[in-house]
Amino acid sequence: MKKITLMLIFALAALIQGCALYVPAPGVVVVPDGPRGGPGNGFCPPGQAKKGNC
């Protein structure tokens, strides 16, 4: 009985040893410093004027 208990403890320890919790790093929030793109502000992203978006 003592051998079975000891083997069970080792088996459980081996199973628990492989567990890990990975938490993703917090995302980076980018706040624009002003209006970008669109009519009236003098800035048009590359390629958008050809499409008629500015």
Side-chain angles (χ1 to χ4, degrees):
M1 183 70 178
K2 195 171 187 180
K3 279 186 175 182
I4 294 174
T5 306
L6 191 59
M7 288 174 54
L8 184 62
I9 289 173
F10 281 126
L12 287 175
L15 288 174
I16 293 174
Q17 181 180 357
C19 295
L21 176 64
Y22 294 100
V23 180
V28 177
V29 178
V30 178
V31 179
D33 55 352
R36 296 272 182 185
N41 64 357
F43 177 78
C44 189
Q48 295 300 314
K50 291 180 182 177
K51 297 177 185 176
N53 293 332
C54 296

